[in-house]
Amino acid sequence: MTNSNFPKDFLWGGALSACQAEGAYNVDGKSLTIPEVMKFNEKNDRKVTKQIRVNWEMIEEARNDPDTVKYPKRRGIDFYHSFREDIALFAEMGFKVFRYSISWARVFPGGDDAAPNEKALEFYDQVIDECLKHGMEPLITISHFDTPIVLMDKFGGWYNRKLIDLYVNYCDVLFNRYKGKVKYWVTFNEINMSVKASAKTLGIIDYDAPNYEEMLFQGLHHQFIAASRATKIAHEIDPNNQIGSMVAYFTTYPYTCKPEDALQMQQDDQMKNQFYLDVLNKGEYPYYSKTYFKNKEIQLNIEDGDLDSIRAHTADFVGMSYYNSMISSSDTEQLELTAGNVHSVYKNPHLPANEWGWQIDPIGLRYTLNLVYDRYQKPVFILENSSGFYDKLNEDGTINDPYRIDFLSKHIEQMGLAIADGVEVLGYTMWGPIDMISSGTSEMSKRYGFIYVDQDDYGNGTLKRYRKDSFFWYQNVIRTNGAEL
Ligand code: BG6
């Protein structure tokens, strides 16, 4: 397959998150985060998407339990200590960009500390300098699914307006410290996951509250203001800063050509995807969200100046992750469910799926890129894309993973076609260039990487890194700027 549509300065790379890779959960002053109280459960049925509902009982049980087998995200893949070796492997593949997240609970372990934790910043200094040493752009996610529990203890999470100031202060520290070193930032990872995964995104777990949904949208409102204020100061501190909005795009098709199905699809797309991108990129609450709130009797507490801030400081680029598509129908009784990223989705009879039931739809990526670019007229950055697979380490240290190459080559081909359609795509950070703990299931055996990490679901293994076949394949993709897939 050949494809030479990629611009010369296209940013090829990969993305990880601190809470799935870093480990060292209680080192150098760091406090506990939501993912670190989520247990690995081997009995879970992987083929349905069930969000673990983190509640206070689970948090209390986990607080004083130092177990890292039960709570795999506490150990991650020990990136805290192996980052030099791992970044060198990314450089060997030719990465131009490395997306990584900073742990808020490391930088401000007490939530409202008067000064940041210098030890934490020294760690991120080294990660960022290591990227720059290898000629890679560091792309930083400021908050990636790792709400510090202290912010829930003290303030009740994002429902409290106070978090806006705390977040903006945290951003201020990062923007000043990494001025001239980091240009690309993402304010919140997949901000549209909040409604489904509220613990790790908003730190709001009052599931039984009569106004629970209203609380979530109020928390989101605070995140929208926080994102706008962060964008404002980012531009003031360094006009070169490029601030990204980000959603997990749940691309949606109508199940049939029945007008009722098309209408259902439109409504699903609006409240699952567009709402978040509309606020962050167009700078206002769209009409359909106001209707949604009215129908659900949701009343947001919007203070003077909130909407002005959202309007004045919109994102510079549209960031999206793309894993699987979904279908909408006005009559769902006949449809079968399968797992998907955070949401269970209805099965599309035309698509294959991975072993976890996530459906594989490369053409959906081209479709989504065109949709999003047309709608916002801003450059698009694909911040995550890939699929989880089981891998086998051979005795000679090789890993044959043609399924991963097949998945990625088809998606990259479609991205190239979208660029040929005229979409401005800044870069592609595939998800999980090195195996790490799964966000949804806390498994280690759900692997995404080009680099195999010798560790099983229970933390057994040497943590040694091995290059998979796909490692050499991606190296060649980057070397040929996408001409050889
Ligand atoms: C994305 C998240 O939604 O999905 C990542 O940003 C996550 O953190 C990825 O790892 C894949 O999901 P999972 O559950 O397979 O790890």
Side-chain angles (χ1 to χ4, degrees):
M1 224 177 278
T2 59
N3 191 326
S4 50
N5 296 320
F6 296 91
K8 269 203 201 65
D9 54 356
F10 189 74
L11 291 168
W12 297 99
L16 309 182
S17 75
C19 69
Q20 292 166 262
E22 218 159 74
Y25 80 102
N26 56 358
V27 169
D28 290 337
K30 180 179 164 299
S31 64
L32 210 59
T33 63
I34 285 292
E36 289 156 351
V37 305
M38 293 168 94
K39 286 186 195 162
F40 166 60
N41 181 356
E42 62 187 4
K43 296 203 190 83
N44 265 352
D45 178 357
R46 313 268 177 250
K47 290 220 170 179
V48 286
T49 300
K50 267 209 200 117
Q51 273 307 303
I52 302 168
R53 287 204 140 191
V54 177
N55 56 37
W56 282 112
E57 218 179 316
M58 286 163 63
I59 295 175
E60 292 316 330
E61 184 193 333
R63 261 190 228 274
N64 301 313
D65 183 349
D67 197 333
T68 58
V69 174
K70 233 189 265 174
Y71 303 107
K73 294 193 187 98
R74 296 180 181 197
R75 57 174 200 269
I77 53 163
D78 199 31
F79 185 76
Y80 197 73
H81 298 108
S82 63
F83 68 92
R84 284 211 169 78
E85 181 198 337
D86 295 340
I87 292 174
L89 286 165
F90 303 154
E92 193 181 321
M93 278 186 275
F95 278 24
K96 315 273 183 237
V97 58
F98 172 48
R99 172 176 176 234
Y100 192 58
S101 68
I102 288 183
S103 165
W104 193 354
R106 245 184 233 296
V107 181
F108 284 99
D112 55 354
D113 318 66
N117 173 10
E118 188 55 29
K119 278 258 171 233
L121 292 170
E122 280 166 15
F123 168 67
Y124 294 113
D125 293 349
Q126 293 175 58
V127 171
I128 287 166
D129 287 345
E130 203 62 20
C131 292
L132 297 171
K133 184 179 107 188
H134 288 289
M136 262 176 240
E137 284 275 0
L139 187 161
I140 298 296
T141 313
I142 299 166
S143 177
H144 189 128
F145 287 0
D146 57 354
T147 303
I149 290 173
V150 70
L151 294 177
M152 298 163 67
D153 289 335
K154 289 188 180 171
F155 307 105
W158 277 96
Y159 186 54
N160 190 333
R161 215 182 147 85
K162 169 85 179 154
L163 260 76
I164 302 172
D165 287 340
L166 296 174
Y167 176 89
V168 173
N169 182 44
Y170 164 49
C171 290
D172 188 61
V173 167
L174 301 184
F175 296 151
N176 279 301
R177 181 104 172 186
Y178 301 120
K179 179 175 176 177
K181 290 188 174 185
V182 176
K183 170 177 169 191
Y184 294 103
W185 302 86
V186 171
T187 42
F188 294 97
N189 181 62
E190 297 177 337
I191 195 166
N192 61 329
M193 293 291 202
S194 311
V195 175
K196 278 274 168 185
S198 67
K200 57 190 181 183
T201 53
L202 293 166
I204 298 176
I205 54 173
D206 314 66
Y207 311 110
D208 296 331
N211 65 338
Y212 173 59
E213 195 181 0
E214 184 176 77
M215 290 176 79
L216 299 183
F217 281 105
Q218 185 65 49
L220 263 167
H221 177 66
H222 295 151
Q223 288 195 337
F224 289 145
I225 301 166
S228 71
R229 284 183 44 198
T231 305
K232 174 175 188 285
I233 62 166
H235 291 153
E236 283 165 5
I237 292 168
D238 187 347
N240 282 327
N241 274 329
Q242 292 289 298
I243 308 300
S245 52
M246 180 185 183
V247 294
Y249 212 101
F250 301 117
T251 303
T252 308
Y253 306 130
Y255 183 55
T256 70
C257 53
K258 265 191 352 207
E260 289 87 343
D261 285 0
L263 195 64
Q264 186 62 50
M265 181 214 86
Q266 187 176 51
Q267 289 170 354
D268 286 346
D269 191 28
Q270 284 176 338
M271 281 316 283
K272 288 200 167 92
N273 303 303
Q274 292 175 16
F275 164 63
Y276 304 83
L277 289 178
D278 282 358
V279 177
L280 291 170
N281 291 287
K282 293 183 167 179
E284 56 190 46
Y285 276 89
Y287 73 90
Y288 56 81
S289 67
K290 293 178 190 158
T291 309
Y292 181 89
F293 294 152
K294 195 166 142 226
N295 292 341
K296 294 251 181 165
E297 294 182 3
I298 290 174
Q299 280 186 355
L300 296 186
N301 181 9
I302 298 178
E303 293 192 2
D304 281 357
D306 286 1
L307 297 179
D308 293 339
S309 179
I310 290 173
R311 194 173 305 112
H313 308 288
T314 55
D316 297 309
F317 64 89
V318 177
M320 59 175 241
S321 65
Y322 176 80
Y323 286 92
N324 55 265
S325 56
M326 51 211 285
I327 48 179
S328 296
S329 168
S330 54
D331 171 17
T332 51
E333 253 174 43
Q334 42 175 338
L335 303 179
E336 203 185 323
L337 277 174
T338 185
N341 194 358
V342 176
H343 293 269
S344 280
V345 302
Y346 293 112
K347 241 185 200 166
N348 182 331
H350 304 287
L351 298 177
N354 75 0
E355 297 217 42
W356 284 262
W358 294 26
Q359 302 180 109
I360 300 174
D361 178 16
I363 293 176
L365 178 58
R366 177 180 180 184
Y367 171 88
T368 311
L369 285 169
N370 274 282
L371 186 86
V372 160
Y373 187 59
D374 180 40
R375 200 167 164 92
Y376 303 105
Q377 309 279 319
K378 291 184 186 182
V380 187
F381 210 127
I382 301 173
L383 296 167
E384 291 180 30
N385 169 236
S386 192
S387 189
F389 295 104
Y390 290 112
D391 289 319
K392 186 172 155 287
L393 174 66
N394 301 319
E395 296 221 329
D396 62 358
T398 58
I399 299 98
N400 312 117
D401 58 345
Y403 34 85
R404 182 168 291 108
I405 296 174
D406 185 61
F407 180 100
L408 291 172
S409 63
K410 287 183 175 148
H411 282 77
I412 293 175
E413 185 192 15
Q414 292 299 322
M415 170 170 64
L417 291 171
I419 293 172
D421 292 335
V423 179
E424 192 184 346
V425 185
L426 291 171
Y428 176 81
T429 51
M430 71 73 78
W431 178 250
I434 183 166
D435 297 340
M436 64 190 144
I437 311 289
S438 154
S439 176
T441 66
S442 292
E443 286 165 291
M444 184 66 208
S445 48
K446 188 183 189 191
R447 296 174 183 274
Y448 285 83
F450 298 127
I451 301 160
Y452 184 92
V453 176
D454 178 25
Q455 175 175 235
D456 69 12
D457 288 335
Y458 307 92
N460 305 307
T462 59
L463 286 178
K464 196 172 163 211
R465 283 41 175 162
Y466 296 86
R467 295 166 183 80
K468 301 181 194 177
D469 289 351
S470 57
F471 179 100
F472 302 103
W473 168 81
Y474 196 49
Q475 187 180 50
N476 191 51
V477 170
I478 298 179
R479 193 182 56 75
T480 61
N481 200 25
E484 288 179 22
L485 296 176

